[in-house]
Amino acid sequence: MENQFDAIVIGSGISGGWAAKELCEKGLKTLVLERGRDVRHIKDYPTMTMNPWDFEHRGRMTKAFYQENPLITKASGYGEDTTHFFIKDADHPYVQEKPFDWIRGYQVGGKSLIWGRACQRWSDYEFKAPKKYGYGIEWPIGYDDVASWYSHVEKFIGVCGNDDGIEAMPDGEFLPPFELNCVEEHMQATLKEHFPGRHLVQGRWAHLSEPEQVHLDQGRGKCQCRNLCMRGCPFGGYFSSNSSTLPWAEKTGNLTIRPFSVVHSIVYDEASGKASGVKVIDTNTKEEIVYNARIIFVNASALNSNLILLNSKSERFPNGLGNDHDVLGRYVSFHNYRAGAGGAIKGFEDHYYYGSRPSECIIANYRNLKEQDTDFVGGYTIFTGAYRNRAEEVPEDAPQLGADFKHRLSKPGDWRIYMYMQGETIPKPSNRVYLSEDKTDDWGIPLLVTDVGYDENDEKMVVDFLEESQKMLEQMGCTDLYSYDSKQAPGLDIHEMGGVRMGKDPKTSLLNEFNQMHQCKNVFVTDGACMTSTGNQSPSILYMALTARAANYAAEQFKNNVL
Ligand SMILES: Cc1cc2nc3c(=O)[nH]c(=O)nc-3n(C[C@H](O)[C@H](O)[C@H](O)COP(=O)(O)OP(=O)(O)OC[C@H]3O[C@@H](n4cnc5c(N)ncnc54)[C@H](O)[C@@H]3O)c2cc1C
C-alpha cells in the first residue's frame, strides 16, 4: 500500500510542479519522482546573498573545471554562483550523433530555478501555421482552447507586462510592467513610424513587480530587481517550482516528493491496457522500486520524457510506450538562437536609468503571419534592449581599488542597443532522439542519442533576421553596427521540444488534445515533448498552461472512474 498513489508525476521542474499543484488541489494523493537532490526554497540557495568578492574565483570556475565540463559551462548564466543548479558533464553522458548541447538541471525544481523567465503567450497564428503553410501536422488545439489556462497560470505565478494589443503576441493577466528606458522608447517610436506591423514592447516576465494576495499567500514578495535570479531568490520574486507550485501542493497534505529517484520506465499492464505504475531506481542505493498509480504525468523535460517512453517496452509496445508507428522520438525541434546584432546610438548622453531590471524588450514576430511573406516558413521573436556602457574599461594591470578606480568605473559611456533572435524551427522526422544499443548510464538506463540539426529554412531565417535587424538599427540612428551568426549547435537554445507530439490522428501523433496518450489513456505528457511545432515564443508558460489543463481533465476522469 505504501507504493500506491492516485497519481504519479515524473519530474519536479516547471511542468511537473504544475501537475503536482493541480492534482493535489483536486484531492489526488500525488507522488512526485525526481532524479536529483532536494532543493528547498531559501534554505538551499547557498549563494543567494553573496557579494562578488565572497566568491573564491570572483564568479568564474577554474580552468580545470572548464576543461572537464566543456558542455554545461556554455549555458547562459552559468558561473560559480549558479554551478550547483546545473549537472556536471561526466555524471550524465549522452551520445551526440550530431552536435547538440543538452543543458540540464537535475534537482527538485529542475530548470525552474535557472530559467530566464520570459513568458509570452502563443498566438493563434503559431498554432495554425504548420498546417496552413505545409510544414507540420495540425495541432489538435488552438489558442482559444488554452487562453483561459494561460490566465490561470499567469495569475498564480505572476507575470508582469503591458497589454499591447498585438495579434502575434496576445495580452494576458499582467502585473505592472517594468519601464522602458529613453533609448528603448526611441526604438519603439522608430518602429511605429517606419516599420508598420513591427512592435517593440516591454517583455512579459515571470516576476512579481507588484505582488497580489495569491502571491503573498505563497510566501513570495516583490521582485527587488537584484538580477541574481539564477542563484535562487530569497524574496520569491520570480517564479520557480520551489517557491511556488511545490510548496502550494505540499500544503494540501496530498503531496509526496521522492528525490534521488530516477525513473527507468513506465510499467504497462497488458490486461487493463493501461499503465499500472512507474519503475524507479534509487540513485544512491541502486534499489529498484515500483510505484503504482491510476494516472501518470510525464514531466521529465522534453528529451528525458522521450527517453523514459522509449525505454518503456512491453510485449504490446516493443518500441516504447504508445509507439506503434515509430513517431516516438521523431520531430524533435528547438529554437534558432544563432544570430544577433547591435550598435551604438548618440543623442541620449544626458539621460540615465536607475538600478537593474530583470526583463528585456521584445519585438514581436512580424514574419509569415497572415500569409507567407518570405522564402522561409515560421517566424522569429527578437529580444532587445538598450543600456549604457562604462566610459572606459579599467585595464587588468591598473590598480583594482581606490578612488581613481571607482571614478573610472562609474563614468557612463555610450548608449548601445542589442538584439538577438528566437526563431521557429521545422519539426522533421529526421531530427530525432533514440536509445543507444550498447551504452548505459550509472543506473543501467540506455543513453540517449541525439540526432538533431539545422536545415535550409533555418539558414534563410538567420539571413532575414541579420538583414532586417541592420535596417531597423540603421533607422534608429545606430552607428558602429555589428552582427553575428554564432553557428552554435542546437540545444544551447535551451528550448528543446517534440518527440511525443500532440495531434488529431493517432497514426501520426502520440497524444490527443488533452496530452493523453492515444494508445495508453492514463499516461499524460505535458512538457516540451508534447509540442507539435515550436512557434517562436518562449515555451515554458505554454507547458504550464497545457499541464494545468490536462491535470484538471485527468482529475475529472479519475473522479468519474474513467481512468
Ligand atoms: C539558462 C536557461 C534559460 C531559460 N530561459 C527560459 C525563458 O526565458 N523562458 C522559457 O519559457 N523557458 C526558458 N528556459 C527553458 C525552461 O527552463 C524549460 O522549458 C523548462 O524548465 C521545462 O520544464 P520541464 O518541467 O519540462 O523541465 P525541467 O524544469 O527541466 O524539469 C524536469 C525535471 O525532471 C527531472 N528528471 C529528468 N529525468 C528524470 C527521470 N528519468 N526520473 C525522474 N526525474 C527526472 C529533472 O531532474 C528535472 O528536475 C530556459 C532554460 C535555461 C537552462
Side-chain angles (χ1 to χ4, degrees):
M1 290 303 286
E2 262 177 26
N3 290 6
Q4 181 69 45
F5 292 83
D6 296 333
I8 291 174
V9 177
I10 305 173
S12 63
I14 288 189
S15 62
W18 264 93
K21 170 190 173 291
E22 298 292 314
L23 294 167
C24 286
E25 278 184 323
K26 293 281 166 191
L28 275 69
K29 294 283 175 202
T30 303
L31 172 68
V32 172
L33 294 166
E34 168 53 55
R35 68 182 300 156
R37 69 191 166 99
D38 197 10
V39 172
R40 290 277 150 177
H41 182 48
I42 304 181
K43 178 174 100 46
D44 293 322
Y45 303 157
T47 58
M48 65 186 176
T49 54
M50 281 170 68
N51 290 305
W53 53 88
D54 295 329
F55 290 94
E56 195 180 347
H57 306 104
R58 301 292 184 269
R60 296 188 204 163
M61 305 304 288
T62 62
K63 203 168 172 186
F65 190 92
Y66 284 113
Q67 276 162 0
E68 280 163 26
N69 294 278
L71 196 152
I72 197 69
T73 49
K74 285 186 208 168
S76 165
Y78 191 96
E80 197 179 13
D81 55 339
T82 58
T83 177
H84 44 284
F85 292 146
F86 291 90
I87 58 138
K88 294 201 173 59
D89 289 358
D91 293 347
H92 299 287
Y94 61 102
V95 182
Q96 299 178 57
E97 182 69 33
K98 291 197 191 109
F100 187 90
D101 294 330
W102 189 11
I103 304 301
R104 287 156 292 165
Y106 288 167
Q107 60 257 326
V108 167
K111 297 198 293 285
S112 77
L113 286 161
I114 49 173
W115 71 313
R117 310 161 312 277
C119 267
Q120 315 86 259
R121 291 187 179 203
W122 269 45
S123 65
D124 208 39
Y125 291 121
E126 286 157 279
F127 284 104
K128 297 275 158 45
K131 174 84 184 341
K132 184 172 170 191
Y133 301 125
Y135 64 96
I137 57 166
E138 188 176 4
W139 274 84
I141 52 172
Y143 178 71
D144 290 345
D145 297 300
V146 283
S148 64
W149 293 101
Y150 270 125
S151 298
H152 179 68
V153 170
E154 283 159 350
K155 282 187 213 156
F156 189 79
I157 69 173
V159 177
C160 58
N162 263 312
D163 281 344
D164 299 298
I166 305 169
E167 266 186 309
M169 202 173 77
D171 294 331
E173 311 281 341
F174 298 141
L175 302 174
F178 291 103
E179 283 176 17
L180 300 183
N181 64 38
C182 60
V183 172
E184 290 162 352
E185 279 171 358
H186 162 74
M187 293 160 70
Q188 186 179 52
T190 308
L191 286 194
K192 198 166 176 197
E193 190 180 342
H194 297 282
F195 294 87
R198 297 191 192 183
H199 308 278
L200 183 147
V201 299
Q202 184 52 270
R204 286 90 193 255
W205 241 253
H207 280 258
L208 300 182
S209 52
E210 284 297 339
E212 293 182 348
Q213 192 57 45
V214 64
H215 310 120
L216 301 175
D217 292 346
Q218 293 168 42
R220 300 171 56 202
K222 186 173 166 120
C223 169
Q224 305 291 307
C225 298
R226 303 183 324 144
N227 284 13
L228 302 175
C229 315
M230 289 171 73
R231 299 178 182 184
C233 179
F235 303 94
Y238 77 97
F239 167 79
S240 67
S241 308
N242 312 61
S243 66
S244 175
T245 43
L246 291 175
W248 192 265
E250 217 157 26
K251 269 201 272 183
T252 64
N254 292 325
L255 179 71
T256 306
I257 303 185
R258 194 181 199 284
F260 299 116
S261 307
V262 61
V263 170
H264 171 278
S265 54
I266 295 169
V267 183
Y268 181 74
D269 177 42
E270 311 272 343
S272 65
K274 288 185 192 158
S276 58
V278 165
K279 181 168 142 186
V280 162
I281 300 169
D282 185 301
T283 57
N284 294 318
T285 63
K286 303 212 170 157
E287 182 193 0
E288 274 186 28
I289 311 165
V290 172
Y291 290 99
N292 298 312
R294 274 165 59 190
I295 292 174
I296 295 165
F297 267 69
V298 189
N299 296 99
S301 77
L303 298 192
N304 272 312
S305 291
N306 274 277
L307 193 164
I308 292 168
L309 293 168
L310 285 162
N311 204 34
S312 301
K313 295 180 180 171
S314 58
E315 217 165 282
R316 164 72 184 82
F317 295 111
N319 300 317
L321 191 64
N323 191 20
D324 285 339
H325 37 32
D326 190 27
V327 172
L328 180 60
R330 294 187 183 273
Y331 304 97
V332 169
S333 43
F334 53 92
H335 274 152
N336 181 349
Y337 257 100
R338 275 176 24 192
I345 182 161
K346 296 240 179 294
F348 300 88
E349 287 73 20
D350 55 344
H351 288 65
Y352 201 69
Y353 44 83
Y354 177 75
S356 308
R357 189 184 65 189
S359 63
E360 297 181 274
C361 305
I362 287 177
I363 300 174
N365 176 39
Y366 47 84
R367 286 307 196 203
N368 303 323
L369 294 168
K370 291 202 164 67
E371 58 192 43
Q372 189 177 341
D373 46 28
T374 62
D375 62 349
F376 58 87
V377 291
Y380 53 83
T381 290
I382 299 175
F383 289 101
T384 182
Y387 61 97
R388 271 190 103 161
N389 265 339
R390 289 187 180 132
E392 49 181 328
E393 283 304 319
V394 184
E396 280 195 3
D397 54 0
Q400 303 287 307
L401 77 172
D404 185 46
F405 177 64
K406 207 165 151 183
H407 180 67
R408 290 168 88 167
L409 285 185
S410 51
K411 229 160 87 186
D414 284 351
W415 277 95
R416 300 193 74 85
I417 296 176
Y418 70 89
M419 295 182 176
Y420 62 94
M421 68 180 288
Q422 176 174 285
E424 182 166 0
T425 66
I426 300 178
K428 297 178 289 285
S430 54
N431 268 353
R432 66 175 189 132
V433 293
Y434 55 95
L435 300 183
S436 167
E437 282 176 12
D438 54 353
K439 295 191 184 72
T440 55
D441 66 13
D442 282 354
W443 303 280
I445 299 171
L447 297 192
L448 195 69
V449 184
T450 57
D451 186 2
V452 177
Y454 289 104
D455 63 18
E456 208 189 321
N457 196 68
D458 302 322
E459 303 297 335
K460 287 181 181 166
M461 191 184 283
V462 166
V463 169
D464 186 67
F465 164 79
L466 289 174
E467 285 171 4
E468 294 305 312
S469 55
Q470 296 299 295
K471 283 185 210 160
M472 290 187 275
L473 289 164
E474 272 170 22
Q475 190 64 52
M476 287 166 187
C478 278
T479 55
D480 197 13
L481 294 178
Y482 71 88
S483 65
Y484 63 84
D485 173 358
S486 70
K487 307 260 182 203
Q488 68 189 38
L492 202 55
D493 47 85
I494 39 81
H495 292 171
E496 56 276 6
M497 298 175 225
V500 194
R501 66 181 180 178
M502 296 169 78
K504 287 188 168 164
D505 184 355
K507 290 199 196 79
T508 57
S509 64
L510 285 125
L511 307 171
N512 70 11
E513 73 273 30
F514 287 105
N515 297 70
Q516 189 175 25
M517 282 203 120
H518 291 302
Q519 308 297 357
C520 187
K521 293 276 192 248
N522 63 337
V523 174
F524 294 79
V525 183
T526 63
D527 60 16
C530 76
M531 298 287 277
T532 311
S533 63
T534 73
N536 58 81
Q537 313 294 355
S538 309
S540 304
I541 193 163
L542 181 53
Y543 309 162
M544 296 190 240
L546 291 173
T547 303
R549 182 172 177 268
N552 278 269
Y553 172 81
E556 205 178 295
Q557 299 263 304
F558 178 90
K559 295 225 159 108
N560 295 334
N561 280 321
V562 181
L563 289 177

